[in-house]
Amino acid sequence: ATIAEHSAPDSVLVTTYITPDLVVGGSRLGHLSALMLGVISEPIRFTRTREDIEALLAHASFEVLSDALPVDAAPHYGVHVKRPTSLMPKERIAVAIKRGNQT
């Protein structure tokens, strides 16, 4: 809501987020990564499903244009990924546009 309040209509927001399955099981590598982030004082405190992110952004007048895994989004931005590089396999990238003047 704060970002929307300070954003002009048609502003684009790009954000990353972690899905809940990372911290409640998920892949071993992802779970280990989450634990290591906690050890270095960067704990994961916010996880959401794709549906939750879309609803949260819609509440702030943002319309989700895309929501993908980084490896799937990379070609759209001209990046060729030869191998998985993310230690966070449940991390997603959401791109949204602010609609209207309401927050």
Side-chain angles (χ1 to χ4, degrees):
T2 300
I3 293 171
E5 181 181 331
H6 297 284
S7 300
D10 297 327
S11 294
V12 175
L13 172 70
V14 178
T15 185
T16 63
Y17 68 97
I18 304 294
T19 57
D21 50 338
L22 173 70
V23 293
V24 292
S27 71
R28 288 182 184 175
L29 179 59
H31 188 67
L32 179 60
S33 298
L35 291 174
M36 293 306 296
L37 285 171
V39 168
I40 63 170
S41 299
E42 292 289 340
I44 294 173
R45 294 190 174 131
F46 177 91
T47 64
R48 293 293 186 269
T49 64
R50 291 178 70 181
E51 297 79 14
D52 290 342
I53 287 295
E54 186 171 348
L56 180 67
L57 290 169
H59 183 72
S61 301
F62 281 94
E63 175 188 343
V64 175
L65 301 175
S66 67
D67 186 323
L69 295 170
V71 70
D72 296 332
H76 179 75
Y77 298 101
V79 177
H80 177 69
V81 179
K82 294 180 183 176
R83 59 185 162 77
T85 58
S86 176
L87 293 178
M88 294 299 207
K90 303 300 181 179
E91 179 181 27
R92 299 190 65 84
I93 301 172
V95 178
I97 188 167
K98 184 175 180 207
R99 299 295 189 194
N101 292 320
Q102 300 175 349
T103 56

